[in-house]
Amino acid sequence: MRPIEVADRLGRWSSGRGPLYLLLASRLRQLIDDGELPPGVLLPPDRVLAAALAVGRTTVVAAYDLLRAEGRITRRQGSGTRVAGVPREEQVEDAPVDPIFLGSLEARDDDVLLAICAAPGDPPPQLAEAFAKIAPELADVDNDIGYYPYGHPSLRQALADRYTARGVLTRPEQLMVTNGGQQALSLLAHALVSPGDQVIVEAPTYPGALEVFREEGAVLRGLPVGLDGLEAAVRERRPAVAYVIPTYHNPTGSVLSALARQRLASAGVPVIEDEVPADLAFPGEPVVTPMAAYGDAVISIGSLSKSIWGGLRIGWVRAAPPLINRLARLRAVHDLGGNVPTQLAAVHLLPLLDAPDLHNTLKARHDHLHSQLTAALPDWHIPPVKGGQCLWVRLPYGDANSFAQTALRHGLAVLPGTGLDITGASNTYLRLHFRAHPKDLTEAVHRLTTAWHTYNPPPIPTHPRPAIAI
């Protein structure tokens, strides 16, 4: 293959943010993974490709070295640089690798209890009532095709009013409605992160966020829960964005103080504040002011899926209007707007976030699971929480990844901490959610206990391939 042919296939490879060698490696990786550069193809020599691309030779050398380390190319003296293909462990269908997603994609086994995806399993009766209420509104719709990339105006206004009531003055133009919190996070990552960019995350954190940032080619750096040390990391690494869950953190359940929120909001980097668990307080817990109240650099995301029902795909982004406009343009390419009837119903469902039923149920199920676990497994470290939906449990020995396999053989799917922590420091932890019915929680504890009593940890801890971390 002549150098100019490779250059033509690269397209606008250098248009993103980040070091040129990472951008070049990312585009070559895509061409290899898509089969446009099949195994055995001879790639141009360093100097020749550098001249064709008008870059320094070190840029090409560094890109080639990165792809060689991944196993996608081979470099031998006298034989040149050739495409090796996709590494065997990566030859899978285009699907998320995290168990939190795979559990939703794979066919369900009725004999396996799922303790992975934490979301309410039953729609509340108010959901059907809300749809009944909007029937007259839909009947009155006239000359409206229903495309709202920003979200329906009535829901944007209702969300703005809710933020304002919580101490964050908000206008509707600062909000975009999305199909769930995951879409909100994906749009933000696509808008703010380019291949090679540094992204600062908590260790541990929500695994769905890690997948989103990896999809954009980010270089992840883990800091302790609460992002202690963010200011120094901003000075040293100049990250593109930081991601934090300040209220009822997933998975530890911690809540940041007002002082810590103010510190993060003024750290000098855009901060994505994941507020999805923020409405999951137990009864009597104080209302926490969102981090967005402390600085304009804070971008907030929220969702009704974790508080009302998993099938209610309503999320949102709160940010400065220019960023909202950019997100809407990105979203319109793939999705001209969310489901209008669902958004109209969501206006009537927002008050449920403050209703006592939600918070009382959360507390009761937390207490049920916590009491049964501590009684059945007294050697485990199981700290209680004051809100959220998860317990962050530490095993007394062994590692969570191998124990999760043992638990699965006993009919219980649990989430090991290795998938939530890019630093590798949570290999003895499990994330267990308490959103299920009490009878299912009881059965889960029974299966967990049986699995633990048969568990023989391997001599060498089993871990998945480590994420990119610095």
Side-chain angles (χ1 to χ4, degrees), residues 109 111-114 399-414 443-444 446-458 462:
D109 185 343
D111 293 330
V112 176
L113 282 176
L114 297 179
D399 72 280
N401 201 53
S402 62
F403 176 67
Q405 296 302 313
T406 301
L408 190 60
R409 290 194 291 272
H410 288 80
L412 182 66
V414 296
E443 179 62 23
H446 170 70
R447 297 185 187 188
L448 201 65
T449 304
T450 303
W452 181 249
H453 289 157
T454 64
Y455 173 57
N456 292 310
T462 59

Side-chain angles (χ1 to χ4, degrees), residues 226-420:
L227 294 185
D228 186 31
L230 178 61
E231 299 91 336
V234 170
R235 291 192 302 268
E236 296 167 6
R237 300 291 180 180
R238 303 179 67 85
V241 70
Y243 170 78
V244 65
I245 309 173
T247 308
Y248 306 121
H249 174 263
N250 181 358
T252 67
S254 64
V255 179
L256 287 187
S257 66
L259 183 61
R261 292 166 190 259
Q262 185 176 13
R263 173 179 57 81
L264 294 181
S266 58
V269 65
V271 177
I272 298 176
E273 171 195 25
D274 190 336
E275 278 212 301
V276 170
D279 296 306
L280 304 178
F282 292 168
E285 293 301 318
V287 177
V288 182
T289 302
M291 189 184 299
Y294 300 99
D296 295 335
V298 176
I299 304 161
S300 302
I301 64 173
S303 171
L304 297 182
S305 301
K306 298 298 186 185
S307 51
I308 296 180
W309 183 45
L312 186 64
R313 304 309 303 159
I314 293 290
W316 57 86
V317 180
R318 182 203 177 275
L323 179 56
I324 293 296
N325 292 337
R326 184 181 177 193
L327 295 175
R329 289 194 296 271
L330 289 172
R331 189 248 185 100
V333 174
H334 304 284
D335 179 2
L336 293 175
N339 184 284
V340 170
T342 301
Q343 293 182 57
L344 294 174
V347 175
H348 299 280
L349 292 169
L350 281 177
L352 286 183
L353 299 179
D354 303 314
D357 287 352
L358 167 65
H359 310 286
N360 290 332
T361 299
L362 283 169
K363 178 68 162 59
R365 294 188 180 183
H366 163 273
D367 292 351
H368 182 86
L369 178 61
H370 187 268
S371 63
Q372 294 220 348
L373 280 174
T374 53
L377 298 163
D379 293 338
W380 288 24
H381 180 64
I382 313 168
V385 296
K386 297 181 178 181
Q389 53 195 354
C390 304
L391 294 176
W392 189 232
V393 175
R394 190 178 73 230
L395 305 179
Y397 58 84
D399 72 280
N401 201 53
S402 62
F403 176 67
Q405 296 302 313
T406 301
L408 190 60
R409 290 194 291 272
H410 288 80
L412 182 66
V414 296
L415 193 62
T418 48
L420 290 78

Side-chain angles (χ1 to χ4, degrees), residues 19-75:
L20 286 177
Y21 81 93
L22 286 175
L23 298 176
L24 178 57
S26 176
R27 179 57 180 152
L28 286 169
R29 182 185 301 113
Q30 183 180 4
L31 292 174
I32 293 170
D33 292 355
D34 291 346
E36 292 190 44
L37 293 177
V41 166
L42 183 65
L43 296 177
D46 311 339
R47 295 184 187 276
V48 176
L49 184 57
L53 299 178
V55 298
R57 178 173 173 263
T58 56
T59 296
V60 178
V61 170
Y64 278 173
D65 285 347
L66 184 58
L67 294 172
R68 181 176 59 180
E70 296 173 359
R72 283 178 167 82
I73 66 173
T74 60
R75 307 194 74 189

